[in-house]
Amino acid sequence: STYWLIYVVSKPLIGVFLILKFQMGAEGIFWGFLLAPFILNAIMLMDQRVFTNFKISFLSTKIFSQFTSYGLPLTLSNLAFWVLSLSDRYLIGYFQNSSEVGIYGLGYAIPEKTLQFSFMTLMLAAYPIIIQNWETGKRNDTQHLITEMSRYYLVLITPILVALVTMPQSILLLFSDKEFIQGAQVIPFIAGGLYIYGLSQYVQKGLELRQKSRKIAFIAVVAGSFNIILNIILIPKFGALGASLSCLSAYILYFVCSLFLVRRELEYKAPKASLLNVFLAAFSMAVVIKVVAHFITIFLWQLFAGLAAGILVYALVLLWTKEIRRRELDIILGFLRIR
């Protein structure tokens, strides 16, 4: 957590330093984003004593071969995911204009930063536990754990999705200016796509544990290709909105393909009762936010009052449906008492 915090904070700080000290302009931001992980990696390697503990005799051709056979398909997968997440900007610039790219980029960045940070934090916490269960041969326990972790994903990440879908304009104005208000129209669709992608990471765990990286790459290539085709069709007609619809559709396809291909490896079992409870809580939260927005017109008050009331109702519905269990409630109350 400390390293992650340093990484996030140091990138803009180094960039601002280079701009102010050496008048590097926007290029300083680029160098800040490049230097921060480079310096941090060096610190982490020294902290782990990699240089002092490393010996040539430790190198294993067998392990290297395993890394290669597993890692090369993932390189293709990452490339396909890059196409899935960035090709829309290039196509908007080609079919529309650069200002439309800027508006879309802002609308994309807001849900991307909030949702990806949230579900990656959950995944970082869950992954070591999942691996530990798998390596001890507890297949059923691992399957149950993946289901349980995806339940936590639904409970904790869904209110963020609801806020992005129901209050896109207010959230955009919090980070930007009225000149970019058109970007709000893409936020709900981008948020929906990224939310589905985050859930797909739990579905795919069976493929990762079975080291089926080729299947993971196949899913990414199919979804990325589908996204490009839809972008070519929709962007000339609908502009940035068409790109957001393509993004949502591609991530839905990504999720469906993951469900289909993981069945023979380690079938994903969705927390069906939790899905219903979370949906009911999310719907209640959305209604409350819309009611607050109807009576409050100043966007800042609308944003904070709507979020506060919506999250309170969301939590109350989860308590009423007993989705938040007694043990979990005791842990939360105990944490609050400690604080």
Side-chain angles (χ1 to χ4, degrees):
S1 298
T2 301
Y3 284 138
W4 182 254
L5 182 62
I6 293 172
Y7 172 68
V8 171
V9 173
S10 62
K11 287 195 299 181
L13 286 183
I14 294 174
V16 171
F17 171 77
L18 294 173
I19 291 171
L20 296 178
K21 186 69 175 178
F22 301 101
Q23 290 78 45
M24 294 183 68
E27 190 178 340
I29 298 294
F30 167 78
W31 282 107
F33 276 54
L34 179 66
L35 290 173
F38 179 81
I39 295 171
L40 186 59
N41 279 331
I43 294 172
M44 292 173 66
L45 289 172
M46 288 187 290
D47 182 52
Q48 299 297 318
R49 300 180 180 179
V50 171
F51 298 112
T52 56
N53 293 329
F54 175 77
K55 295 180 181 179
I56 295 294
S57 59
F58 290 166
L59 294 176
S60 167
T61 54
K62 180 181 178 181
I63 293 177
F64 180 77
S65 176
Q66 291 176 344
F67 282 165
T68 304
S69 62
Y70 182 76
L72 283 180
L74 289 184
T75 303
L76 178 62
S77 174
N78 288 333
L79 177 63
F81 181 74
W82 177 83
V83 170
L84 177 60
S85 59
L86 292 178
S87 63
D88 43 15
R89 275 94 159 163
Y90 294 98
L91 291 171
I92 290 173
Y94 179 80
F95 288 113
Q96 300 290 324
N97 51 63
S98 57
S99 62
E100 191 83 358
V101 175
I103 290 171
Y104 177 80
L106 178 63
Y108 193 104
I110 291 173
E112 179 187 36
K113 301 304 180 187
T114 52
L115 283 170
Q116 278 197 348
F117 175 79
S118 302
F119 69 66
M120 285 304 295
T121 302
L122 277 179
M123 184 54 69
L124 285 171
Y127 200 64
I129 307 171
I130 294 172
I131 292 293
Q132 185 180 25
N133 269 266
W134 179 258
E135 289 184 344
T136 54
K138 300 175 181 177
R139 177 190 172 103
N140 292 333
D141 287 352
T142 304
Q143 194 173 46
H144 174 74
L145 181 60
I146 293 172
T147 300
E148 191 66 9
M149 295 309 299
S150 63
R151 171 182 165 265
Y152 286 130
Y153 176 90
L154 292 170
V155 171
L156 296 174
I157 306 300
T158 299
I160 302 175
L161 173 68
V162 173
L164 290 166
V165 169
T166 56
M167 311 178 72
Q169 292 186 347
S170 298
I171 293 174
L172 185 139
L173 289 174
L174 183 65
F175 297 102
S176 184
D177 190 79
K178 290 183 179 179
E179 295 178 3
F180 295 92
I181 197 66
Q182 279 184 291
Q185 67 177 340
V186 309
I187 290 178
F189 302 105
I190 300 298
L194 291 172
Y195 177 85
I196 292 170
Y197 170 73
L199 189 58
S200 300
Q201 300 309 294
Y202 293 94
V203 176
Q204 276 191 358
K205 281 293 162 280
L207 296 176
E208 294 176 13
L209 295 170
R210 291 284 192 178
Q211 300 184 17
K212 302 295 183 179
S213 56
R214 293 183 181 181
K215 289 187 176 181
I216 296 173
F218 173 77
I219 294 168
V221 169
V222 169
S225 303
F226 181 68
N227 185 50
I228 292 177
I229 294 170
L230 274 186
N231 275 327
I232 293 172
I233 296 172
L234 296 179
I235 288 175
K237 296 180 180 179
F238 305 106
L241 179 61
S244 67
L245 291 170
S246 300
C247 174
L248 174 61
S249 302
Y251 279 125
I252 291 174
L253 179 62
Y254 189 97
F255 179 79
V256 172
C257 288
S258 299
L259 277 176
F260 180 77
L261 291 180
V262 82
R263 289 184 303 171
R264 293 184 178 180
E265 311 303 335
L266 184 67
E267 186 179 5
Y268 173 72
K269 295 185 177 181
K272 296 178 182 178
S274 297
L275 278 170
L276 181 61
N277 294 337
V278 170
F279 174 79
L280 178 62
F283 179 78
S284 304
M285 178 180 174
V287 171
V288 169
I289 288 175
K290 288 298 184 182
V291 170
V292 171
H294 178 75
F295 290 102
I296 301 176
T297 56
I298 301 174
F299 92 91
L300 268 178
W301 284 104
Q302 183 185 90
L303 180 64
F304 293 118
L307 282 177
I311 291 173
L312 176 61
V313 168
Y314 179 84
L316 289 174
V317 172
L318 291 181
L319 286 170
W320 175 65
T321 58
K322 298 183 179 179
E323 182 58 40
I324 298 179
R325 300 161 186 170
R326 178 70 187 183
R327 177 177 56 86
E328 295 165 344
L329 185 60
D330 290 340
I331 292 172
I332 295 170
L333 293 175
F335 176 80
L336 293 175
R337 282 196 295 269
I338 292 172
R339 295 297 170 185

